[in-house]
Amino acid sequence: MPQTADDLDAVAVRTWCSLALDALGREREAIDAINVYPVADGDTGTNLYLTAESAAAAVEAVFAAHETGTSAPSTADAVRAMAHGALIGARGNSGTILAQLLRGMAGVLAEGPGDRAGPERLRLALTRAAASAREAVAHPVEGTVLTVATAAAEAAGRTGAGAGAGAVARAAYEGACIALEATPGQLAVLGRAGVVDAGGRGLVAVLGALVEAVSGRAPERPATGPAAPPAPAPFAAAGDCPAVDDPEGGPAFEVIYLLEAGDEAVERLRARLDVLGDSLVVVGGDGLWNVHVHVDDAGAAVEAGVEAGRPYRIRITHFAADRLHARPEPAQRAVVVVVPGDGLSGLCAEAGATTVLARPGEPPASGELVDAIRRAHAREVVLLPNDADLRHTAAAAAEQARAEGIRVALIPTRAAVQGIAALAVHEADRSFDEDVVAMTAAAGATRYAELAVAERQSWTMAGICQAGDILGLIDGDVAVIGQDVPETARSVLDRMLAAGGELVTLVLGEDIPDALAATLEEHVREGYLAVDTVVYRGGHQCAPLLIGVE
């Protein structure tokens, strides 16, 4: 839950990153759909999400490093981690600019007396962020995220001396909203398409998260006057952006890399890349930089980096053909599955799936899912996240893979047993759409439950539980509170089978004996006619027992 203290400390920074990631996850598809500048490649929302994901992961790492110590991370620790994470994970033009905005803010928030940033430092941070982002762009254009950032800083600067940090953040958000609505009148390509700037819309989401993190309350969109010109047709998906700017009429490649180099070498690099292409953004400092440019000669852009210092994590994207290097002929179709234990990983691998292991407390990032999709090496991929909390992460990974030319269907499985059910009906010989429909139906027809151990006294839907109680969760809600695993498991099964069922799936945790499976199988066989039971070993995982009924 967001804190309610009207200032910014390390916990608020952590909350801000989490809320921003969630907001960008919700907005990702909509932002992708209005991405027409500088190139209509439908990936701004995805790039912003991936950049924010890297920033949030870096902040979480700082907090994890302090868990075993006696002190919590400082505000300076948190904001520097946020900025560094965004810098090394920045994707695309929009993500690179967001990284510089966060770096500009961090430079101010990490300074000054005390460990809590009040309104004055927040005003200065927003001003520094907008200025540094403009400096990072070789040729700033109005009607873009730069305009929205400047308006946010100016609105924050107009708040009175008695305003708290929450009021400053809210003023910045409202100023950004108003500026965003004006962008179609400032940039012709937006006006013709009837959309606001995609990067600016992403920044509004990030600032809205800042308001909630600092004040504890999500902001409402202000009245902004006349709406932007209507779009000629609604956007159905990220790939449906109107081709206002034809990528074939501009540079052919997007080149991005991290660079270790000194300030003087980077200034020479800026001049060199400015001649080679456009959409040049160079962000960073203190010896580490993120370089983004659109060019026709990708090799020359990389060579310029080599002359300046040490480039690495080099990514080259062809705007017209997503792959630059020939690879072995891909398979037609594959399935990628997130699994909570090594036992299930082996089971799914035997069924032909590519697996991603989700360790307790360590959900996979979107980059891990994208890597798994690439490893599957297929033209068509069905992605099974098996966790409701991975919906935004999986959606971002699917969108990134689609940008690389892979057809991806995301089936929103919420538990491992739903993934098992979907995988069981997978048939590669069917058409892709028919296969996805069948797998989705199988997953949707599978009710899921799990047993967990209560860590503390708490209120639940089933009453008050005590530390050490066994909780039976059905479809994500606590339905049974028991004293031992067998008793609770039987109660959960009875509740689930009361609504009918033909097949029970049991996935045993690492410490659960085989005898329990035999006991539960007998319970089902004696109490429910014509209901079969299958048992799998899940290995090391969060839950002692997973249950599926279909």
Side-chain angles (χ1 to χ4, degrees), residues 310-522:
R310 187 178 79 87
Y312 60 103
R313 291 195 189 181
I314 300 168
R315 296 192 297 272
I316 301 174
T317 303
H318 196 305
F319 288 125
D322 297 300
R323 289 186 177 84
L324 300 177
H325 303 290
R327 298 184 63 190
E329 186 69 16
Q332 182 59 34
R333 190 175 311 153
V335 179
V336 173
V337 187
V338 179
V339 293
D342 47 16
L344 287 182
S345 180
L347 173 70
C348 293
E350 288 176 7
T354 300
T355 62
V356 179
L357 188 62
R359 298 173 180 83
E362 298 179 21
S366 58
E368 293 177 73
L369 299 185
V370 173
D371 287 342
I373 292 172
R374 291 172 182 149
R375 288 201 318 272
H377 194 42
R379 297 184 181 91
E380 301 167 340
V381 172
V382 180
L383 177 58
L384 305 174
N386 294 340
D387 187 341
D389 291 338
L390 286 178
R391 62 192 185 280
H392 294 323
T393 301
E399 194 59 45
Q400 188 178 1
R402 291 182 191 120
E404 297 178 6
I406 305 171
R407 187 181 184 189
V408 181
L410 170 60
I411 298 178
T413 48
R414 302 166 66 87
V417 289
Q418 289 188 326
I420 293 172
L423 189 58
V425 301
H426 164 59
E427 291 184 15
D429 293 337
R430 285 189 293 225
S431 73
F432 186 63
D433 291 338
E434 289 175 339
D435 200 26
V436 170
V437 168
M439 294 176 72
T440 302
T446 303
R447 283 163 289 150
Y448 61 95
E450 68 175 81
L451 267 57
V453 180
E455 296 181 355
R456 64 184 68 87
Q457 184 186 68
S458 180
W459 288 89
T460 75
M461 296 287 289
I464 300 176
C465 70
Q466 305 296 328
D469 283 349
I470 306 300
L471 307 180
L473 293 86
I474 300 177
D475 294 337
D477 292 323
V478 176
V480 178
I481 300 175
Q483 300 303 309
D484 59 51
V485 171
E487 170 205 344
T488 308
R490 284 192 292 268
S491 297
V492 169
L493 280 169
D494 289 341
R495 284 176 178 251
M496 297 180 76
L497 289 170
E502 299 176 356
L503 177 67
V504 171
T505 300
L506 304 175
V507 181
L508 307 182
E510 185 177 37
D511 299 325
I512 299 299
D514 291 333
L516 176 62
T519 298
L520 296 179
E521 282 187 271
E522 183 179 359

Side-chain angles (χ1 to χ4, degrees), residues 197-217:
D197 179 65
R201 180 167 172 176
L203 179 58
V204 165
V206 172
L207 290 173
L210 175 62
V211 174
E212 187 173 358
V214 175
S215 68
R217 183 177 177 182

Side-chain angles (χ1 to χ4, degrees), residues 36-453:
V36 299
Y37 182 84
V39 176
D41 49 357
D43 63 357
T44 291
T46 299
N47 287 337
L48 287 169
Y49 179 88
L50 295 172
T51 304
E53 182 183 53
S54 182
V59 174
E60 289 301 322
V62 167
F63 272 83
H66 282 75
E67 282 182 355
T68 56
T70 58
S71 62
S74 66
T75 302
D77 293 334
V79 295
R80 286 170 180 152
M82 173 187 71
H84 181 74
L87 176 67
I88 64 174
R91 301 295 183 95
N93 187 73
S94 56
T96 308
I97 292 174
L98 175 61
Q100 188 68 357
L101 287 167
L102 295 179
R103 179 179 173 81
M105 291 190 70
V108 174
L109 296 175
E111 299 169 353
D115 195 42
R116 307 177 77 91
E120 189 56 41
R121 279 165 68 186
L122 185 55
R123 289 189 195 96
L124 182 57
L126 290 164
T127 300
R128 178 82 63 84
S132 62
R134 281 187 177 271
E135 292 168 1
V137 178
H139 301 284
V141 175
E142 296 305 324
T144 65
V145 63
L146 299 177
T147 306
V148 176
T150 298
E154 291 175 348
R158 290 192 292 269
T159 55
V168 172
R170 192 174 301 275
Y173 170 79
E174 292 174 353
C177 290
I178 294 170
L180 178 66
E181 294 302 321
T183 56
Q186 296 172 301
L187 192 57
V189 64
L190 302 179
R192 290 196 298 272
V195 298
V196 296
D197 179 65
R201 180 167 172 176
L203 179 58
V204 165
V206 172
L207 290 173
L210 175 62
V211 174
E212 187 173 358
V214 175
S215 68
R217 183 177 177 182
E220 296 180 1
R221 289 293 288 265
T224 55
F235 298 122
D240 294 331
C241 297
V244 180
D245 280 350
D246 183 359
E248 295 182 1
F253 299 96
E254 178 184 59
V255 178
I256 305 174
Y257 50 79
L258 293 178
L259 177 70
E260 293 179 356
D263 291 358
E264 292 183 3
V266 168
E267 285 305 311
R268 293 192 295 271
L269 175 65
R270 289 180 195 269
R272 174 81 180 278
L273 293 179
D274 196 22
V275 174
L276 288 175
D278 59 28
S279 297
L280 173 60
V281 185
V282 181
V283 304
D286 301 321
L288 180 62
W289 309 82
N290 190 305
V291 179
H292 169 280
V293 66
H294 295 173
V295 293
D296 282 320
D297 189 344
V302 174
E303 288 173 8
V306 173
E307 292 176 5
R310 187 178 79 87
Y312 60 103
R313 291 195 189 181
I314 300 168
R315 296 192 297 272
I316 301 174
T317 303
H318 196 305
F319 288 125
D322 297 300
R323 289 186 177 84
L324 300 177
H325 303 290
R327 298 184 63 190
E329 186 69 16
Q332 182 59 34
R333 190 175 311 153
V335 179
V336 173
V337 187
V338 179
V339 293
D342 47 16
L344 287 182
S345 180
L347 173 70
C348 293
E350 288 176 7
T354 300
T355 62
V356 179
L357 188 62
R359 298 173 180 83
E362 298 179 21
S366 58
E368 293 177 73
L369 299 185
V370 173
D371 287 342
I373 292 172
R374 291 172 182 149
R375 288 201 318 272
H377 194 42
R379 297 184 181 91
E380 301 167 340
V381 172
V382 180
L383 177 58
L384 305 174
N386 294 340
D387 187 341
D389 291 338
L390 286 178
R391 62 192 185 280
H392 294 323
T393 301
E399 194 59 45
Q400 188 178 1
R402 291 182 191 120
E404 297 178 6
I406 305 171
R407 187 181 184 189
V408 181
L410 170 60
I411 298 178
T413 48
R414 302 166 66 87
V417 289
Q418 289 188 326
I420 293 172
L423 189 58
V425 301
H426 164 59
E427 291 184 15
D429 293 337
R430 285 189 293 225
S431 73
F432 186 63
D433 291 338
E434 289 175 339
D435 200 26
V436 170
V437 168
M439 294 176 72
T440 302
T446 303
R447 283 163 289 150
Y448 61 95
E450 68 175 81
L451 267 57
V453 180

